[in-house]
Amino acid sequence: MAAALALGLGLGACDDGGGAADDPAVTRIPARPAQRSGDAAAGWDFLRYGDYVGSGVPYEIFAAFFASSPPPNRLDREGDGATVPYSFNVFETPTGVKVAGGVNCFGCHASRLDGAFVVGLGNAFSDFTAAELTDQAPLVQGVVEGRYGEGSPEAEAYAVFARGALAAEARSLLPFRGVNPAFMFEESVAAHRTADLGWSEEPVFAIDAGPIGSDVPAWWLLKKKNALYYNGMGRGDFARLIEQISVVATYGSAQTEAFDAHFGDVLAFIMAIEPPAYPEPVDSALAARGEGVFEGSCSACHGTYGEGGEYPNLLVGVERVGTDAAYADRMLATGLIGWYAASWYAEGTEVAPARAYVAPPLDGVWATAPYLHNGSVPTLAALLDSSRRPTYWRRDFGDTTYDHAAVGWPYTVESGPVDVSTYDTTQLGYGNGGHTFGDALSADDRRALLEYLKTL
Ligand code: HEC
Ligand code: HEC
């Protein structure tokens, strides 16, 4: 069950490297407004113990599932939180019921690499392929009502959680592992929410398209960004924007209003995260040569690194970057955007989808495989040479060993989909084409560039 609930501006200032300057398909994202300030340590605690999920399964019942084999305490929690999987928080609902609710932020924004647990790294191991909650909900509801009685605050707490989680799951199942349906969760649940986050059995907007998942971006990149999300649509008060996860299981806007006060601290925590340093030896002469290649071919879009580095915050039209357009198109078409603009979450923010993707900062990029917004490319070596990108590739999700030669996840090439561990780039939204900026480089230059990318 744990896994289941888991829920063209003039670019005169740019160099010409990569040809981004004066390209009408490339626009500069305006500087972000001043953000809330906060206390990073308090943010870390709120993320691990706070009530932002909204509701959950009564704790006694949830904990019983894990009583005989306690999960590893990856978030170093004390008390009840130490007894549940790290992707769940234990907290009290506004009605005084102690629940375990998830997924919390870490269910998607923490991951494993070479055996280490890395907070802020997008979870590239998640599995949203099966309707486990839908299968188990009647049983859990029966247990909760049997113990506490129908109509009890405990039964209500579970109902508030389950209605959202079931609505989310019903429309967000993905075809294979390693991709994440966060905005599909939000869309499916928002379709049952009024502007002040009350529940509506009747859908308030129609959903006409199937789910498309994405990779999860690393949190340490946020400090450089003027806008959130792959298509740059999240503008304004970042703290408010990242509260959207609560749409699934909140009791309503009175509850979200109460935890809004903690999100300045949460933002401070996220802004303070640094990327992990590359753990293996780097050939520094080769990397120095790679830096020159990077400045010639990549910096115009991705910026410069090290002392005095600058990040240009560019949004690149899909016609220019050439990567799979379906995710950007899905965000342009969804009723979620209009719903959002009229909702409790809109205050101080603007959501402006574009048919474009942000050229992300590349700090710690060695660790963030798979690559591109849809995670369709398993390694940096394949990203830099599109002829090496596999159409069907299969990972061992039980193994966190990283490939430090190609820089990314080890995989086997398959001739077709084998099972849910096979990434299928022929499916809508999961294409691995485009971003061919490394193709014209010589093999030597690519090798040097790969070495340099390890140092960012
Ligand atoms: C169900 C998985 C899931 C959960 C839970 C989740 N996120 Fe995310 N988050 C994502 C995905 C996927 C994206 C990328 C979506 C996109 O860009 O289109 C994202 C994007 C973000 C970003 C923007 C990063 C960027 O560089 O654009 C921030 C910040 C963020 N999440 C913070 C949070 C916080 C804080 C929480 C908890 C309150 C949270 N997320 C809960 C999956 C999740
Ligand atoms: C015209 C602008 C542009 C140029 C030039 C460019 N990129 Fe990109 N890059 C992008 C955009 C936009 C994305 C996001 C595309 C997507 O996710 O679909 C991206 C994504 C990436 C990613 C994936 C990041 C991740 O975590 O998934 C890497 C790595 C990368 N670029 C490296 C490079 C390198 C190395 C070069 C030079 C050979 C380069 N880029 C040249 C615009 C550019």
Side-chain angles (χ1 to χ4, degrees), residues 382-397:
L383 185 83
L384 297 180
D385 177 356
S386 66
S387 71
R388 289 180 61 181
R389 297 181 194 165
T391 303
Y392 303 99
W393 51 278
R394 192 154 176 275
R395 268 177 67 193
D396 177 353
F397 283 93

Side-chain angles (χ1 to χ4, degrees), residues 17-20 23 26 215 221 230 293-294 297-302 314 316 320-321 323-324 357-362 365 368 370-374 380 383-384 435 437-438 441 449 453:
D23 185 335
V26 181
D215 194 25
L221 303 176
Y230 286 113
V293 178
F294 187 84
S297 302
C298 320
S299 281
C301 287
H302 291 289
L314 300 184
V316 182
R320 176 82 172 92
V321 67
T323 51
D324 195 303
Y357 295 113
V358 173
L362 299 179
V365 70
T368 67
Y371 297 100
L372 297 180
H373 71 277
N374 58 9
L380 277 181
L383 185 83
L384 297 180
H435 199 289
F437 306 111
L441 300 172
L449 183 54
L453 292 175

